[in-house]
């Protein structure tokens, strides 16, 4: 509980929409619709945080001791929320603006958080890398960038097989530290409910660190030179960032000279939100709370949650759970998703078509994306669905090298991003964001980019507990590439 002492009070209050306006929602702005519909709510009387148990749940661990699981869930239910409804509504409003082409969502962080890697420096380095990328993207897009970290809850991972075999020994697959441990022993691979408590406490500490950095002066734009990570500073990307930061610094000095007060929160603080995959439903249920001001239910484990490609079954437990919570939601789709299936998924997750509620995260690979994404966009446009389209260019580009490393090629990631922007330009829709597995650490897990990691050097600093991550240099390079693409679209000169 002591780890929660820095958590701020609720942000903002729910807007009131007179009953006379409720019969004419089509004339309301998207943000007014968010405020109004949050009072009427899409939640049905048949839903509760536990109704998911009446449906089949894919990718869920089997616990050997039901009493131990029940005890853990009860203990979690008595703990403080990790995030608050007011913070969630702030994110919802920002995504609603992005749905109208007035924002860009940057989501990034570890493939899976780990207990033994947790420390302040690790959180800080990822946070400041996201700040760097957001600054570059803001300059490139000339629009607000919504910053969301895959942090403070991204512990669980889906697996292709329920069991792993080594030297003839079969044990449960490693599903992330919130479920079991990576070491290949019977005790390590036991699905242990108590790991949820450790995940909760680590998430509380992570959120405290993030809140302190976001509001305590670290995010002050006058410190933009200090955001450069030491090992990136001497790279080509670091040089580009220093040159870019100098331009921004000159602009800030000009604003000061003409009387703009750059000591206000708009310059010294930033909004920073968290998200993770909604996978381990007992954990999510235990942290779901009813907001006293609106009566809506919120999953207070995170500001935003997404349902993965492997758990978005229309008759499954995960869609049943998320349909009743008020958080902004994401859904990952691959080339396997048909237009009809996507529309039914949107109807299930967002029956009132509330702007800002649904983010569609596209992961297909470049060629399949060019073939399949236009039909999905066309269906959404035809039915008037309000969604934010963002690209996950990493998951569809994973392969294993001859020496056994799982990796991703930077050029394939770049090609998928290019395809994503190309398709949206052709369809007249908004390419609204990017979702990356990345880290502020100097790892060698993805090949290519200016940093020139090769298959032969993957073993130098290959530290991931799950999937390969872009390192800071590669992530910053992608941010510059995206920014240049958006500047060309708006007719602005290149970043020099």
């Amino acid at each position: 509980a002591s780890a929660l002492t820095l958590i701020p009070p609720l942000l903002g209050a729910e807007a009131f929409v007179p009953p006379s306006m409720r019969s004419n929602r089509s004339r309301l702005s998207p943000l007014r619709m968010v405020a109004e519909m949050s009072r009427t709510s899409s939640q049905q009387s048949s839903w509760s945080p536990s109704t998911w148990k009446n449906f089949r749940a894919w990718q869920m661990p089997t616990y050997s001791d039901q009493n131990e699981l029940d005890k853990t869930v009860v203990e979690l239910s008595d703990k403080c929320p990790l995030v608050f409804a007011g913070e969630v509504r702030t994110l919802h409003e920002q995504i609603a603006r992005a749905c109208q082409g007035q924002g860009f969502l940057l989501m990034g962080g570890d493939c899976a958080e780990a207990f033994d890697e947790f420390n302040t420096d690790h959180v800080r380095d990822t946070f400041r890398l996201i700040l760097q990328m957001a600054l570059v993207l803001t300059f490139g897009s000339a629009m607000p960038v919504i910053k969301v970290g895959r942090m403070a809850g991204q512990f669980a991972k889906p697996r292709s097989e329920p069991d792993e075999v080594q030297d003839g020994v079969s044990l449960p697959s490693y599903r992330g530290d919130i479920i079991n441990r990576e070491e290949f022993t019977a005790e390590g691979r036991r699905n242990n409910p108590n790991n949820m408590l450790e995940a909760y406490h680590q998430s509380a500490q992570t959120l405290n660190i993030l809140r302190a950095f976001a509001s305590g002066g670290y995010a002050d734009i006058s410190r933009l030179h200090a955001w450069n990570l030491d090992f990136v500073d001497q790279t080509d990307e670091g040089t580009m960032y220093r040159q870019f930061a100098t331009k921004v610094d000159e602009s800030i000095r000009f604003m000061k000279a003409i009387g703009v007060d750059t000591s206000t929160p708009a310059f010294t603080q930033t909004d920073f939100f968290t998200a993770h995959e909604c996978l381990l439903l007992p954990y999510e249920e235990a942290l779901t709370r009813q907001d006293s001001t609106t009566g809506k239910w919120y999953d207070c484990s995170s500001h935003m949650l997404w349902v993965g490609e492997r758990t978005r079954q229309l008759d499954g437990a995960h869609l049943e759970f998320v349909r009743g919570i008020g958080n902004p939601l994401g859904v990952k789709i691959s080339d396997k998703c048909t237009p009809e299936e996507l529309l039914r998924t949107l109807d299930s997750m967002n029956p009132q078509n509330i702007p800002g509620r649904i983010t569609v995260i596209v992961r297909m690979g470049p060629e399949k994306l060019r073939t399949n994404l236009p039909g999905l966009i066309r269906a959404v446009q035809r039915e008037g669905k309000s969604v934010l389209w963002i690209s996950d260019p990493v998951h569809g580009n994973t392969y294993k090298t001859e020496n056994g490393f799982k990796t991703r090629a930077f050029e394939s990631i770049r090609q998928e991003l290019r395809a994503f922007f190309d398709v949206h330009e052709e369809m007249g829709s908004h390419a609204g964001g990017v979702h990356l597995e990345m880290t502020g650490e100097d790892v060698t897990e993805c090949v290519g980019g200016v940093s020139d990691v090769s298959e032969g050097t993957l073993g130098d600093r290959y530290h991931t507990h799950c999937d390969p991550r872009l390192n800071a240099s590669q992530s910053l390079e992608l941010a510059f590439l995206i920014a240049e693409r958006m500047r060309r679209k708006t007719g602005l000169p290149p970043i020099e």
Side-chain angles (χ1 to χ4, degrees):
S2 60
L4 296 173
T5 54
L6 295 180
I7 289 179
L10 276 172
L11 305 176
E14 198 68 33
F16 174 71
V17 177
S20 61
M21 298 179 65
R22 294 176 184 169
S23 61
N24 199 11
R25 288 178 179 159
S26 62
R27 296 184 183 179
L28 298 178
S29 69
L31 297 187
R32 296 283 297 280
M33 289 175 68
V34 170
E36 177 197 351
M37 291 182 179
S38 66
R39 286 202 175 273
T40 59
S41 176
S42 65
Q43 296 169 6
Q44 301 173 0
S45 58
S46 61
W47 185 91
S48 78
S50 63
T51 52
W52 65 267
K53 295 176 181 176
N54 300 324
F55 297 78
R56 180 180 175 187
W58 279 261
Q59 293 290 332
M60 287 279 288
T62 300
Y63 291 100
S64 58
D65 189 333
Q66 185 64 40
N67 290 332
E68 185 181 27
L69 174 61
D70 293 342
K71 180 181 176 182
T72 300
V73 170
V74 169
E75 186 172 348
L76 274 174
S77 300
D78 289 336
K79 293 193 176 297
C80 297
L82 293 173
V83 304
F84 295 97
E87 297 172 331
V88 173
R89 287 193 288 270
T90 298
L91 174 59
H92 193 162
E93 291 172 0
Q94 292 185 16
I95 296 177
R97 293 189 186 97
C99 286
Q100 303 302 309
Q102 301 172 31
F104 189 88
L105 175 61
L106 170 63
M107 187 184 300
D110 281 325
C111 166
E113 295 172 279
F115 295 158
D116 61 3
E117 287 185 352
F118 173 71
N119 59 67
T120 301
D121 290 348
H122 181 76
V123 176
R124 178 203 62 204
D125 288 349
T126 300
F127 174 77
R128 67 176 175 177
L129 174 59
I130 292 176
L131 288 184
Q132 282 185 291
M133 297 173 69
L135 191 64
V136 171
L137 291 169
T138 301
F139 190 81
S141 64
M143 65 178 67
V145 172
I146 307 162
K147 296 171 283 294
V148 179
R150 288 172 51 111
M151 307 167 77
Q154 181 54 25
F155 292 100
K157 294 296 293 182
R159 299 285 77 184
S160 300
E161 298 294 336
D163 298 307
E164 179 183 353
V165 179
Q166 291 187 21
D167 300 324
V169 177
S170 178
L171 293 173
S173 294
Y174 172 61
R175 293 179 177 271
D177 282 4
I178 196 171
I179 296 171
N180 55 14
R181 299 302 179 106
E182 191 173 18
E183 57 265 23
F184 194 77
T185 64
E187 179 56 29
R189 292 299 177 89
R190 181 176 81 90
N191 297 330
N192 187 348
N194 292 301
N195 289 12
M196 288 190 274
L197 296 171
E198 189 169 352
Y200 169 86
H201 288 297
Q202 180 170 314
S203 297
Q205 293 179 73
T206 301
L207 280 160
N208 276 341
I209 295 166
L210 292 172
R211 286 181 171 118
F213 284 144
S215 61
Y218 192 89
D220 191 323
I221 198 169
S222 65
R223 291 178 45 86
L224 76 172
H225 286 283
W227 296 344
N228 224 357
L229 293 152
D230 294 338
F231 68 89
V232 177
D233 193 47
Q234 303 305 315
T235 65
D236 291 343
E237 297 88 351
T239 300
M240 287 180 63
Y241 179 79
R242 284 197 308 275
Q243 294 170 347
F244 163 75
T246 299
K247 286 186 176 183
V248 177
D249 211 20
E250 291 172 355
S251 299
I252 294 172
R253 288 199 298 270
F254 172 77
M255 286 188 283
K256 286 182 179 178
I258 63 173
V260 176
D261 184 2
T262 59
S263 65
T264 62
F267 290 89
T268 61
Q269 300 178 16
T270 191
D271 287 333
F272 194 91
F273 305 98
T274 61
H276 65 255
E277 181 174 0
C278 178
L279 192 59
L280 186 58
L281 293 177
Y283 180 80
E284 307 300 344
E285 176 191 345
L287 290 173
T288 299
R289 305 285 189 270
Q290 192 168 23
D291 179 35
S292 59
T293 63
T294 65
K296 286 176 64 69
W297 290 93
Y298 290 91
D299 185 342
C300 295
S301 70
S302 186
H303 299 106
M304 179 180 182
L305 297 103
W306 74 85
V307 178
E309 167 74 8
R310 301 183 191 184
T311 53
R312 59 173 178 81
Q313 295 83 3
L314 290 166
D315 58 350
H318 291 84
L319 284 195
E320 166 62 19
F321 175 78
V322 299
R323 77 176 179 89
I325 58 175
N327 307 61
L329 302 171
V331 58
K332 285 202 175 186
I333 60 169
S334 71
D335 59 293
K336 299 174 184 177
C337 184
T338 66
E340 295 75 18
E341 184 181 6
L342 177 59
L343 291 175
R344 291 180 64 192
T345 300
L346 297 178
D347 285 340
S348 174
M349 298 176 73
N350 189 21
Q352 291 181 293
N353 201 25
I354 303 172
R357 178 160 169 80
I358 301 296
T359 295
V360 179
I361 307 168
V362 182
R363 43 158 296 183
M364 295 185 183
E367 298 307 320
K368 291 180 179 178
L369 186 146
R370 289 185 184 276
T371 300
N372 292 279
L373 183 57
L376 297 171
I377 296 175
R378 192 175 298 114
V380 167
Q381 290 173 332
R382 182 185 68 243
E383 298 300 320
K385 299 295 186 183
S386 178
V387 304
L388 181 67
W389 296 97
I390 74 171
S391 171
D392 171 359
V394 296
H395 277 95
N397 294 295
T398 307
Y399 70 97
K400 184 168 285 190
T401 65
E402 291 184 359
N403 52 355
F405 286 104
K406 186 192 287 187
T407 189
R408 291 157 174 161
F410 182 89
E411 183 55 32
S412 297
I413 293 169
R414 179 179 181 175
Q415 288 176 10
E416 180 156 352
L417 278 170
R418 182 183 296 122
F420 180 76
F421 279 92
D422 285 348
V423 169
H424 279 286
E425 283 191 14
E426 294 165 3
M427 301 298 297
S429 49
H430 178 48
V434 63
H435 178 126
L436 301 171
E437 288 186 348
M438 57 180 234
T439 178
E441 296 180 357
D442 186 19
V443 299
T444 54
E445 297 171 2
C446 294
V447 298
V450 177
S451 61
D452 203 28
V453 178
S454 67
E455 291 187 4
T457 60
L458 284 173
D460 291 354
R461 293 178 301 280
Y462 194 95
H463 302 316
T464 182
H465 282 246
C466 194
D467 290 336
R469 302 162 294 178
L470 295 164
N471 62 30
S473 297
Q474 293 165 328
S475 301
L476 194 56
E477 183 178 352
L478 273 184
F480 275 109
L481 291 170
I482 295 170
E484 293 286 13
R485 174 63 184 255
M486 291 191 290
R487 286 180 72 80
R488 286 199 304 271
K489 182 181 178 182
T490 56
L492 294 171
I495 300 174
E496 295 178 356

